[in-house]
């Protein structure tokens, strides 16, 4: 017998903690949230009625055993490669319906196709340039019209321009900030507003980097964009908490993805060195994806990933002077530090 629970996130009597273990007794369980207090059916009648109607319509589709993200709609940007691809697959493997968005239409289509073929899940492909406000508005409108308001949005798409500050042109800066920061702002504004309006909570994950708190002579624009993403995420987390929407910022160190090959190098051409270095690091994107799923599950605020990510985060808080010293030193050992 499929069962649905509707959790009122601010209910002081039937608290979320009371509902947490129901899954062990009811294998075919659909668990939805409404940002409301105890009298949710009086304060948010449309939301409660909609959830009941959706459940009655689709109850046959609630099958056991239950997976962590069953019935959830997830949007991942930059899902055509690396961390985004691994994240889209991980959510699908845990039962979510996933929209794979990328500027590269072919890569997005391959990612969505593989979710259906390899995992028997539901994947949709979308082409969008996250830095373009018009494209992002169309994208979010189409996704909401076709599949509904996403429960989880992962703003992951990002680019690297590597080189010294004076080798960066204004265009290098503009492109980096447009994709890495504006892309995240657009994703948060458009999908976040829809989540608030729907009133059933949700989660936004922004992918920043160790570079958000580790200064570097080789990644001035990239690091600036990632530091801004981290602060944006902290601000938004405070603002959206009352709506039952979690915001996490994920900050990986070096991850072995194609990012170093996709990067732009200004001044010295460090491409080969960077590609080799990142491959040698041997930290797979799948492990970052696992951290992203856990961040949503546990509503974690800041998630440093891998050894250098965790050490960098700890040092930046305990001894920022050491981080500044390392930044000066990093260029002298010709470690390109791509993707940090
Ligand atoms: N790989 C690392 O070492 C590392 C470390 C820390 C943080 N990160 C961050 O993780 C995220 C993913 O990086 P990755 O290593 O998987 O890189 P990647 O190059 O393998 O993948 C990035 C994807 O984003 C897409 N993309 C680029 N610009 C886009 C745009 N304007 N609109 C939509 N899609 C766009 C690309 O087509 C590509 O599919 C980035 O934000 C990156 O800064 C990576």
């Amino acid at each position: 017998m499929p069962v649905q629970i509707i959790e009122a996130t601010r209910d002081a009597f039937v608290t979320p903690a009371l509902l947490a273990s129901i899954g062990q007794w009811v294998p075919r369980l659909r668990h939805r949230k409404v940002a409301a207090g105890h009298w949710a059916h009086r304060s948010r009648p449309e939301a409660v009625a909609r959830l009941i109607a959706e459940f009655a319509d689709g109850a046959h589709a609630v099958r056991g055993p239950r997976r962590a993200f069953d019935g959830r709609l997830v949007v991942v940007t930059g899902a055509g490669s690396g961390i985004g691809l691994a994240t889209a697959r991980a959510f699908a493997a845990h039962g979510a319906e996933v929209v794979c968005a990328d500027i590269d239409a072919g890569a997005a289509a391959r990612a969505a196709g593989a979710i259906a073929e390899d995992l028997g899940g539901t994947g949709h492909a979308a082409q969008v340039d996250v830095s373009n406000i018009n494209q992002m508005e169309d994208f979010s409108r189409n996704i909401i019209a076709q599949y509904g308001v996403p429960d989880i949005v992962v703003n992951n798409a990002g680019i690297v321009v590597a080189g010294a500050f004076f080798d960066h042109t204004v265009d290098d800066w503009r492109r980096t900030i447009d994709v890495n920061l504006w892309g995240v702002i657009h994703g948060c504004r458009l999908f976040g507003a829809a989540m608030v309006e729907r009133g059933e909570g949700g989660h936004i994950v922004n992918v920043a980097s160790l570079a958000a708190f580790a200064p570097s002579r080789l990644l001035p624009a990239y690091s600036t964009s990632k530091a801004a993403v981290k602060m944006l995420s902290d601000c938004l987390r405070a603002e959206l908490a009352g709506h039952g929407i979690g915001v996490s910022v994920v900050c990986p160190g070096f991850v072995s993805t194609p990012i170093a090959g996709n990067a732009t190098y200004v001044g010295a051409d460090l491409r080969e060195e960077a590609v080799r270095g990142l491959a040698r690091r041997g930290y797979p994107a799948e492990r970052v994806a696992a951290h992203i799923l856990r961040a949503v599950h546990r509503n974690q605020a800041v998630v440093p990933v891998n050894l250098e990510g965790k050490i960098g985060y700890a040092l930046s808080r305990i001894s920022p002077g050491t981080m500044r010293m390392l930044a000066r030193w990093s260029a002298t050992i010709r470690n390109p530090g791509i993707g940090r």
Side-chain angles (χ1 to χ4, degrees):
M1 175 75 69
V3 173
Q4 168 168 264
I5 49 174
I6 299 177
E7 172 188 325
T9 54
R10 293 194 299 272
D11 194 331
F13 306 101
V14 186
T15 61
L18 274 177
L19 306 173
S21 60
I22 287 183
Q24 62 183 302
W25 313 111
V26 186
R28 294 175 68 189
L29 182 70
R30 184 177 192 259
H31 184 164
R32 303 309 305 240
K33 297 182 183 182
V34 175
H38 185 67
W39 301 107
H41 38 314
R42 295 187 63 184
S43 61
R44 306 287 321 281
E46 331 73 29
V48 174
R50 190 175 58 246
L51 287 173
I52 293 171
E54 273 175 22
F55 177 62
D57 277 350
H60 58 279
V62 183
R63 299 191 199 291
R66 188 170 164 256
R67 291 174 295 177
F69 293 99
D70 267 339
R72 298 286 195 264
L73 177 65
V74 181
V75 171
V76 181
T77 67
S81 169
I83 294 170
L85 178 61
T87 302
R89 290 179 63 91
F91 273 115
H94 286 84
E97 175 182 353
V98 183
V99 177
C100 302
D102 205 286
I103 195 169
D104 178 342
R110 283 191 295 280
I115 283 175
E117 272 169 41
D118 305 349
L119 305 168
T122 309
H124 311 287
Q127 180 187 22
V128 66
D129 176 351
V130 295
S131 69
N132 183 311
I133 177 64
N134 296 328
Q135 287 189 27
M136 281 297 278
E137 280 177 354
D138 287 348
F139 167 65
S140 59
R141 202 177 306 119
N142 291 341
I143 294 302
I144 291 167
Q146 284 185 58
Y147 313 117
V149 175
D151 300 292
I152 298 158
V153 172
V154 184
N155 291 305
N156 160 78
I159 57 167
V160 172
V161 177
F165 175 77
F166 289 112
D167 290 327
H168 281 61
T169 62
V170 170
D171 268 353
D172 292 327
W173 272 92
R174 207 165 269 146
R175 210 155 39 82
T176 308
I177 302 292
D178 278 355
V179 177
N180 293 3
L181 177 57
W182 273 106
V184 175
I185 296 173
H186 294 324
C188 291
R189 282 189 73 234
L190 296 163
F191 288 116
M195 285 177 183
V196 169
E197 195 187 336
R198 181 180 67 163
E200 292 170 30
H203 205 102
I204 296 175
V205 179
N206 295 330
V207 179
S209 166
L210 164 60
F213 32 81
S216 152
R217 289 170 59 171
L218 286 158
L219 295 165
Y222 180 79
S223 306
T224 303
S225 70
K226 293 299 185 179
V229 167
K230 182 183 172 296
M231 182 50 83
L232 163 67
S233 307
D234 283 340
C235 295
L236 204 56
R237 184 177 171 89
E239 186 167 337
L240 295 183
H243 297 279
I245 301 170
V247 180
S248 304
V249 60
V250 174
C251 303
F254 300 105
V255 185
S256 308
T257 71
I259 198 168
N262 295 338
T264 302
Y265 298 86
V266 295
D269 185 2
L270 301 169
R271 183 180 307 277
E272 269 184 37
E273 212 172 318
V275 169
R276 263 202 316 275
L278 216 52
R280 255 202 317 268
R281 173 64 182 85
Y283 193 88
E286 287 70 21
R287 291 183 67 182
V288 185
H291 278 278
I292 290 176
L293 267 64
R294 199 172 312 129
V296 175
H297 199 62
R298 298 185 184 166
N299 190 16
Q300 292 167 319
V302 182
V303 184
V305 174
N306 76 19
L307 187 65
E308 59 274 18
K310 286 177 186 160
I311 292 176
Y313 185 49
L315 268 183
S316 71
R317 301 170 78 197
I318 303 164
S319 174
T322 308
M323 297 301 276
R324 285 191 283 272
M325 197 186 70
L326 287 171
R328 292 179 63 173
W329 178 64
S330 66
T332 63
I333 58 166
R334 286 184 54 78
N335 178 349
I338 297 310
R340 286 190 316 154

